[in-house]
Amino acid sequence: MIAHGLTGCARRIMRYKLLACKALQRETASIIFNCPHAIDVSMVRQRLHETPALLRQALQQEIDRIDGGGDVHTDDDSGGSISAILLGYGLCSNGIMGLGSAKYPLVAPRAHDCITLLMGSRERFDDDFLTHSGTYYYTRGWYDLGALFLSDDKLRRKRQEYMDRYEYEDTVNYLMDIERDMMKNYNRLAHISWQGIPDDPSVLQAQKTAIEKGWRFDICDGSDRLIRKLLWGEWDEDEFLIVPPGWQIAPSYDDRVIKAVARES
């Protein structure tokens, strides 16, 4: 079943609040331009991902201000009430764990991180990564933010993925030891390119880095499919979680990635 703006009516113009990572600002802007709905946007600092507790705190503070009508980045209700708060994030090392709104539904993609959002589906990301397990992914958004090609960054993202998938820290630590050994086989740099987004500078930087490190270089076609569905209000249960007011996001530790649980009083 697909929820169209929580109303069952695909044609009604809705008003959504989007909280998203700055690394996705070009991609989200390109979709919002043609979106039939009114999207009120707040972009959040990308480096907060490195400390998931701080990311969680920053996002919850934004949500609380929106709930209370005191968020200076969000328009007032004169144009109509917000229908839902959309999260332009994956689970991100449990960075969105515990998020909830007292007033509005939250909608989040079932994704471990933003690579899935940029590739358009979990299946496309999984297929590429399983074929090329030693891959570092890069985009124009990360280039704009000055992201570097570091082995430590690769390990951070893998730890994020394992934290999302496994409940016990001992399991995560064991898998990370394996990842460090596998870094010796790290041999590919893939630039995710979206049609319509000028990415010559980031592609050239990625090519230069791949040559310096002796890695294979590929350009992967990104897809706006998943972010478009988020902004269009096409929230099928397989790919999106709708969190009712008074509930919060929790990791599911299975293929669903995330689930909704009642907030503790």
Side-chain angles (χ1 to χ4, degrees), residues 191-211:
H191 188 288
I192 303 173
S193 295
W194 273 33
Q195 185 175 1
I197 292 181
D199 58 11
D200 287 350
S202 54
V203 168
L204 289 174
Q205 178 62 54
Q207 287 176 319
K208 178 176 180 290
T209 301
I211 291 171

Side-chain angles (χ1 to χ4, degrees), residues 240-257:
F240 295 93
L241 173 70
I242 301 175
V243 184
W247 289 55
Q248 66 185 32
I249 297 172
S252 62
Y253 303 110
D254 58 23
D255 289 342
R256 296 175 300 160
V257 184

Side-chain angles (χ1 to χ4, degrees), residues 93-110:
S93 291
N94 290 333
I96 67 170
M97 179 181 69
L99 295 185
S101 168
K103 187 174 181 179
Y104 305 106
L106 290 185
V107 183
R110 297 186 185 276

